[in-house]
Amino acid sequence: MERRALFGGKLLPYTLLLPQFAIVVVFFYFPAGQAVWQSMLMEDAFGISTEFVGFENYQILAADPDYYKTMLTTAVFSILVAFLSLSCGLLLAVMADKQIKGATIYKTMLIWPYAVAPAVAGVLWLFMFQPSLGMLAKMLRSWGVDWNPLLNGNHAMILVVLAATWKQISYNFLFFLAGLAAIPKSVIEAAAIDGARPMRRFWTIIFPLLSPTAFFLLVINIVYVFFDTFGIIDSVTGGGPAGNTTTMVYKVYQDGKAGSNLGGSAAQSVVLMIIVIALTAIQFKFVERKVQY
Amino acid sequence: MASVVLEAVRKVYAGGVEAVKGLSLTIPDGSFTVLLGPSGCGKSTLLRMIAGLEEISGGAITIGGKKVNDVEPSERDIAMVFQNYALYPHMSVYDNMAYGLRNRGTAKEEIERRVAEAARMLAIEPYLQRKPRALSGGQRQRVAMGRAIVREPAAFLFDEPLSNLDAKLRVQMRLEIRKLHNRLKATSIFVTHDQVEAMTLADQVVVMNSGKIEQTGTPLEIYRRPASKFVATFIGSPAMNLFPGTIAAPGKVTLADGTGFAYDANVFDAKPGAKVEIGLRPEDAKASVAAPGRPKLVWEVTEELGATRLLHGMLAGSPFVLAMQADIDTPARELALEATPETVHIFDPESGRSLRRA
């Protein structure tokens, strides 16, 4: 069923759209356009003169092996975080949905991490896993694990993945919980009478009915891991050790802010923007088809 | 096919509310039993306990000779049709019907055969590849029934399946359910608050009120020989008239104004002088020209129902409704009432039970 609002003229609908449009222009189109322009410029080492160089920044980027490593790191990081936070969020939501006693407390506690700022979340995990002082790091060492995220790239990656996942689980949990509540109880009862055991019920009835929620969350989570995890990476590892946790968005910051290579940084952010737009488009084109609305 | 036996079944909710209060009932093999009662009487709870969707707080439920108190719904060999149909929205009609069979590992050819047969029986063959959202209410209802039929269960449970349909479709589906039952002869338990559904569908009607059985019997027994005031007023439309009276002599009951009706003293056991409540159905009372010494109805409002006309008025200080043929001209304001002794019911005003001899 399609519902359309009817307007007498064109003035009112455009006026109503204006505030949102203004926000998108100021905070997206304008900076994005600036980035595209900036990516075609090159500054000299002292920041005295600026020169238009066309696609040269992109050519330098394409020839940089470090940049491909960053792409790989980003792929590993985003796949791990998206998969873990979605599956944990779903698992917790399914369990919270069954919970009767103290359900509200349980749900509130699970939502809390979302209210924590990314950098603060990062610091929390940094403390717990700090090689010489962290509680959890000490525990790992007592089990014989030579835990050291400051030197070991894989350990550092595990740490940022944990922190980023922990932060995002709440969000996913909340939406999955709402999705579960929207499934009519009688449909699940009908499946129970139809001889489906709980696991089969979950995979054949509940999960397909949650697929719109899951799809929405997949898109949101991909955007989250590409951009919003900056604060976590900055506070936990600063992209290290040896660039092992430098994701694309972090490299934009490193090269632009710390390295003062504004042109190259802008080129990277344009590439990043194109990748995220492409990923979202791909998700809508291919994954959405399998979604049951 | 199986009989369903309930023995002192109780349901107490966590808050201490007793929804079903120690209820015993036998649903014979192959019968169509309707659980009838107002909302909140525990009929749906009882059905859900038989289905295994609600835990049983006390007593025992037996399906086909097997006690099922602790048996999962999936193992009880029952099928249920829900009020809101509860179709799987992401599956085609075919998959909806095949789902239960697939879960039980039925062979593919057998599934195809059974679904095709049920679809033909219910005239839903053209829609097998559609999703439920592309179907009308009546079609969804058929699919829900088809899903139950293909399973060939020991018992069918219906939880107010017709209440979401419009009036015309409801009458049509009602008839189809009855036809289907005549054909399949499967034990069916049907919950409704609609007395017409109960009367038209049932072999056995179980009238329930606040967690207890008021009366069990065939539709006509329930209508003709109500065991309590509750059953008397719940069955029949408009409801049976109830008004106070005193037993003057065996076979004679008087009203507040001294006039009276004759009743069958062989059927009702009431002592002379006892205060009773008299029950008389609107369609059982006959009106004639008012005469002294006869019960007098003074009516105020008429309701035309097409075939019948209802006169609302007062009889010896109590409200009274009279149903009469509509082709008779509107009579005088005051009428004399008479009733054959077999149609006059006598109830105990305290307990509300009928004083009918056992």
Side-chain angles (χ1 to χ4, degrees):
Chain A
M1 250 185 292
E2 196 180 8
R3 299 183 104 176
R4 273 165 181 260
L6 290 175
F7 290 105
K10 285 192 171 170
L11 189 65
L12 181 61
Y14 282 113
T15 313
L16 292 174
L17 272 178
L18 200 62
Q20 180 64 44
F21 189 65
I23 288 169
V24 174
V25 166
V26 172
F27 290 100
F28 180 71
Y29 287 113
F30 178 65
Q34 239 187 357
V36 172
W37 173 241
Q38 186 103 56
S39 72
M40 311 251 183
L41 303 178
M42 202 181 272
E43 269 186 341
D44 68 280
F46 303 101
I48 297 166
S49 66
T50 307
E51 185 189 358
F52 182 82
V53 293
F55 288 97
E56 201 184 319
N57 280 322
Y58 293 94
Q59 283 160 1
I60 296 169
L61 207 57
D64 181 4
D66 262 9
Y67 194 61
Y68 294 106
K69 191 188 162 201
T70 311
M71 278 187 168
L72 185 69
T73 307
T74 310
V76 170
F77 178 68
S78 37
I79 289 168
L80 282 176
V81 172
F83 176 76
L84 287 175
S85 63
L86 280 171
S87 47
C88 292
L90 179 57
L91 185 73
L92 289 170
V94 169
M95 288 182 351
D97 199 42
K98 283 184 192 151
Q99 188 84 2
I100 298 164
K101 266 186 197 161
T104 323
I105 296 170
Y106 184 69
K107 287 171 193 171
T108 311
M109 301 280 277
L110 277 169
I111 293 161
W112 268 358
Y114 193 63
V116 178
V120 177
V123 170
L124 274 175
W125 284 85
L126 188 64
F127 274 148
M128 287 193 286
F129 283 100
Q130 209 276 345
S132 50
L133 298 169
M135 281 158 48
L136 294 174
K138 273 190 176 168
M139 211 161 74
L140 282 173
R141 278 174 180 275
S142 72
W143 291 342
V145 182
D146 185 20
W147 174 258
N148 196 342
L150 298 179
L151 295 175
N152 186 319
N154 288 337
H155 290 178
M157 180 56 103
I158 292 171
L159 192 50
V160 285
V161 166
L162 277 178
T165 304
W166 176 74
K167 178 105 182 56
Q168 191 62 8
I169 284 175
S170 303
Y171 187 85
N172 296 345
F173 166 76
L174 205 59
F175 275 85
F176 275 129
L177 196 64
L180 283 172
I183 298 177
K185 212 173 149 235
S186 59
V187 169
I188 299 176
E189 289 173 347
I193 290 177
D194 260 347
R197 303 218 146 266
M199 273 312 267
R200 185 163 166 79
R201 221 142 65 205
F202 180 81
W203 289 113
T204 55
I205 306 289
I206 298 173
F207 191 69
L209 292 180
L210 275 181
S211 60
T213 312
F215 173 67
F216 163 77
L217 286 176
L218 181 67
V219 175
I220 294 290
N221 275 269
I222 291 290
V223 174
Y224 164 79
V225 284
F226 267 83
F227 297 113
D228 284 358
T229 50
F230 172 82
I232 290 172
I233 290 173
D234 191 41
S235 61
V236 176
T237 63
N244 271 313
T245 55
T246 303
T247 57
M248 293 170 79
V249 70
Y250 199 72
K251 193 168 163 60
V252 170
Y253 163 79
Q254 269 185 335
D255 291 0
K257 185 75 173 45
S260 287
N261 178 4
L262 291 180
S265 165
Q268 284 180 37
S269 66
V270 171
V271 170
L272 183 57
M273 187 165 73
I274 291 168
I275 290 177
V276 171
I277 290 173
L279 273 180
T280 310
I282 288 169
Q283 290 176 62
F284 269 94
K285 193 152 171 57
F286 296 103
V287 186
E288 200 193 18
R289 273 195 210 152
K290 302 210 163 116
V291 168
Q292 315 283 347
Y293 284 105
Chain B
M1 303 302 123
S3 60
V4 177
V5 181
L6 314 180
E7 284 168 83
V9 170
R10 289 176 67 233
K11 175 72 193 179
V12 185
Y13 282 108
V17 180
E18 197 174 14
V20 176
K21 300 168 181 167
L23 184 152
S24 297
L25 175 67
T26 299
I27 293 144
D29 185 9
S31 86
F32 200 113
T33 295
V34 173
L35 304 179
L36 174 68
S39 47
C41 75
K43 56 190 192 299
S44 278
T45 307
L46 189 64
L47 190 79
R48 291 170 58 82
M49 284 159 83
I50 297 171
L53 300 172
E54 298 276 353
E55 270 184 42
I56 300 163
S57 311
I61 295 181
T62 316
I63 301 175
K66 183 178 150 207
K67 189 176 165 188
V68 295
N69 280 35
D70 300 314
V71 177
E72 287 288 310
S74 53
E75 308 296 321
R76 291 194 184 191
D77 197 17
I78 42 119
M80 185 154 164
V81 179
F82 290 82
Q83 179 172 0
N84 60 3
Y85 321 129
L87 298 177
Y88 312 126
H90 58 296
M91 294 185 193
S92 67
V93 169
Y94 182 92
D95 289 334
N96 260 282
M97 288 165 72
Y99 184 70
L101 296 173
R102 285 185 186 140
N103 287 338
R104 285 174 170 74
T106 312
K108 202 161 174 280
E109 301 76 45
E110 176 70 6
I111 293 178
E112 273 170 24
R113 190 188 62 75
R114 287 204 208 172
V115 172
E117 195 189 327
R120 191 167 37 74
M121 212 187 284
L122 294 162
I124 48 173
E125 284 161 308
Y127 320 119
L128 280 177
Q129 295 315 317
R130 285 203 201 163
K131 294 277 173 68
R133 66 168 172 274
L135 301 178
S136 69
Q139 289 164 347
R140 285 180 203 184
Q141 183 61 71
R142 283 164 206 271
V143 176
M145 297 208 330
R147 189 169 67 179
I149 292 170
V150 293
R151 293 256 320 276
E152 298 176 4
F156 287 104
L157 309 180
F158 297 88
D159 189 8
E160 309 214 18
L162 303 181
S163 52
N164 281 2
L165 301 176
D166 64 53
K168 198 176 156 198
L169 208 53
R170 200 179 309 157
V171 173
Q172 191 188 332
M173 286 306 291
R174 197 170 76 201
L175 205 65
E176 286 190 29
I177 290 180
R178 183 66 224 192
K179 277 187 199 159
L180 210 61
H181 177 74
N182 290 349
R183 200 156 141 189
L184 297 172
K185 300 259 182 284
T187 312
S188 303
I189 308 172
F190 188 105
V191 161
T192 183
H193 60 264
D194 182 342
Q195 50 152 321
V196 182
E197 274 173 27
M199 298 292 279
T200 49
L201 284 170
D203 300 323
Q204 174 179 252
V205 179
V206 178
V207 183
M208 288 183 66
N209 182 25
S210 53
K212 282 189 285 205
I213 294 179
E214 285 277 335
Q215 190 175 2
T216 304
T218 66
L220 275 185
E221 273 168 14
I222 301 266
Y223 177 79
R224 295 231 188 274
R225 297 195 286 277
S228 65
K229 284 201 294 187
F230 178 83
V231 178
T233 50
F234 196 75
I235 304 283
S237 176
M240 182 187 278
N241 295 294
L242 287 172
F243 41 94
T246 311
I247 304 290
K252 177 87 178 126
V253 61
T254 54
L255 309 181
D257 64 0
T259 61
F261 288 106
Y263 71 92
D264 192 342
N266 294 324
V267 173
F268 293 98
D269 181 19
K271 291 189 174 54
K275 298 276 180 213
V276 295
E277 220 157 330
I278 308 165
L280 183 59
R281 291 202 181 275
E283 57 271 29
D284 285 340
K286 298 278 171 291
S288 56
V289 180
R294 303 265 302 276
K296 188 174 72 178
L297 171 69
V298 185
W299 62 267
E300 286 156 19
V301 189
T302 64
E303 281 182 315
E304 296 291 349
L305 299 181
T308 54
R309 174 187 296 141
L310 302 181
L311 303 186
H312 293 263
M314 299 296 277
L315 172 73
S318 303
F320 192 95
V321 183
L322 172 72
M324 61 188 296
Q325 296 272 312
D327 50 6
I328 300 171
D329 287 339
T330 311
R333 283 276 156 180
E334 292 187 5
L335 295 166
L337 288 183
E338 50 188 338
T340 55
E342 300 79 67
T343 61
V344 176
H345 301 263
I346 307 292
F347 298 99
D348 179 351
E350 304 278 296
S351 68
R353 304 300 297 176
S354 172
L355 291 173
R356 188 175 292 275
R357 291 174 202 273

